[in-house]
Amino acid sequence: MSNRKGSVSTDSTITIAPSSVALPHRTEAETQAQGQRPPVWSLDSTADPAISAPLPAKCDRHGRPNGICCKELKGEDERHLLDPDVVRDIVIGLSDGLTVPFALTAGLSSLGESRLVVVGGVAELIAGAISMGIGGFLASQAERDHYRYLQKATSARVIRSCAGEMEREVHAVLGPVGVPERLSRQVADSLRKVEVDSGGLGAVSGPPSEEEGTLRWSKDVGLTAFLLKFGEGLDEVPTRRLYISAFTIGMGYLIGGIIPLMPYFFTSYAKVGLLWSCIVTGIVLLVFGAVKAHVTGAQTGTRGYLWGAISMLFVGGSAAGAAYGIVAAIEGLNSH
């Protein structure tokens, strides 16, 4: 027998409980990430048809034989396009850089001296790159100022207008795309409540701040943002866009302009340099036209790429031919 109070039987097995280990604490970033995850929802649940699954949980990938999500399905000519603003600046810089310096050097080559072509071309190239960069900065700045003015004016108009007027303006935007008037009124009512709850852009004289009790993202919600984005087709231009546009256009002009100027560095005869410049620039214009048609999504297929390349070559060649002919004509008049 074993003593229940103090002794332990030799036949019994002693089990040692494992020591508990504290779980690591979640960081603030992990906690926020956990809260942003979509809810767990049964994709094939039909227990209660009256309850619809939330939008993040709706997916038909399990109903397809291959189990592929629709977001992973690609079209035959689907491609990844760059930011249209960046593409626009690159096209402006490169196209001007390939055509203007090329036309200038072609015109100066009629004078017969390669050194004159190099000096004039480099001077124009530097001045043109700086001028194009400044022009891109000022253009983006004007676009930003224009948007901010319309944003303030639209916000003030939303605050002082009645609900019926706002419903008519919202339906004027949503009606042509197939949204019925009843839903347009609901959308207008929801957006108007958000506009009032956030204080409205017209209610503050400066940028929103937490000290004033105004939401930092209030400028991106409500009727003002809706009417500007979908009614006027305008988006706010961030401040960094000004510098990106200036750098992209200026560097595009500099890179594009150095190409037609390079052959003149290796020959003392301007006519020979012009011949090589025409060949090199023509090839680059063809390639640039095809690449532009691809990244912008304007043309599809081999025929589209060919049209983009030929049209770019025609524009650059026309500018160079016109410049060369005018300078040659003026030189001929001066010789007589």
Side-chain angles (χ1 to χ4, degrees):
M1 290 181 64
S2 61
N3 191 348
R4 296 182 179 179
K5 294 183 179 179
S7 61
V8 179
S9 175
T10 56
D11 297 335
S12 61
T13 303
I14 300 175
T15 304
I16 301 176
S19 59
S20 60
V21 179
L23 295 175
H25 296 284
R26 289 181 178 177
T27 62
E28 184 178 355
E30 292 176 346
T31 304
Q32 294 178 356
Q34 180 72 19
Q36 294 174 356
R37 293 178 182 175
V40 179
W41 198 271
S42 177
L43 296 176
D44 300 327
S45 177
T46 57
D48 190 358
I51 302 177
S52 60
L55 290 180
K58 287 188 174 182
C59 184
D60 291 338
R61 66 183 306 169
H62 296 282
R64 296 190 180 96
N66 51 9
I68 299 179
C69 180
C70 57
K71 294 188 295 184
E72 301 174 1
L73 299 176
K74 303 295 182 181
E76 296 181 357
D77 192 49
E78 189 170 348
R79 53 190 108 152
H80 178 70
L81 303 181
L82 300 177
D83 185 358
D85 292 331
V86 176
V87 173
R88 180 196 62 189
D89 293 341
I90 293 176
V91 170
I92 291 175
L94 281 177
S95 60
D96 284 359
L98 287 171
T99 54
V100 177
F102 177 49
L104 176 65
T105 54
L108 294 178
S109 63
S110 63
L111 302 178
E113 295 184 7
S114 181
R115 181 176 177 275
L116 180 61
V117 175
V118 171
V119 172
V122 170
E124 191 280 334
L125 186 61
I126 297 175
I130 296 175
S131 176
M132 293 290 293
I134 294 175
F137 180 90
L138 295 177
S140 299
Q141 186 182 51
E143 186 178 356
R144 183 196 63 179
D145 295 341
H146 175 70
Y147 177 87
R148 289 181 176 178
Y149 172 79
L150 289 180
Q151 186 183 51
K152 185 177 180 180
T154 304
S155 177
R157 180 167 57 85
V158 167
I159 293 176
R160 67 173 178 261
S161 299
C162 64
E165 176 62 23
M166 292 298 98
E167 291 176 358
R168 284 189 290 271
E169 292 196 21
V170 171
H171 186 63
V173 177
L174 299 179
V177 297
V179 178
E181 183 178 351
R182 178 179 58 84
L183 292 181
S184 297
R185 290 182 176 180
Q186 295 178 1
V187 171
D189 182 64
S190 299
L191 293 176
R192 187 177 177 84
K193 289 180 180 179
V194 173
E195 185 89 10
V196 174
D197 293 341
S198 64
L201 290 175
V204 294
S205 58
S209 60
E210 293 180 347
E211 291 77 4
E212 297 175 354
T214 307
L215 296 176
R216 288 178 296 178
W217 41 264
S218 60
K219 63 180 180 179
D220 298 327
V221 299
L223 273 173
T224 299
F226 175 84
L227 293 176
L228 287 175
K229 185 175 182 63
F230 301 103
E232 302 291 339
L234 298 176
D235 289 314
E236 185 177 6
V237 179
T239 303
R240 67 176 183 274
R241 178 65 196 148
L242 278 62
Y243 303 97
I244 294 176
S245 180
F247 178 80
T248 305
I249 294 178
M251 288 302 299
Y253 188 91
L254 187 65
I255 295 174
I258 199 66
I259 294 175
L261 192 60
M262 286 296 295
Y264 294 95
F265 286 96
F266 302 99
T267 179
S268 57
Y269 298 99
K271 300 293 184 181
V272 178
L274 175 62
L275 177 61
W276 283 106
S277 179
C278 291
I279 296 175
V280 173
T281 306
I283 295 175
V284 173
L285 285 172
L286 288 172
V287 174
F288 174 64
V291 172
K292 181 177 72 69
H294 177 77
V295 298
T296 57
Q299 303 291 340
T300 57
T302 305
R303 186 176 181 180
Y305 296 148
L306 186 61
W307 167 252
I310 294 177
S311 61
M312 181 60 66
L313 178 63
F314 176 77
V315 172
S318 300
Y324 182 84
I326 293 174
V327 174
I330 294 176
E331 183 67 17
L333 293 176
N334 292 334
S335 63
H336 292 296

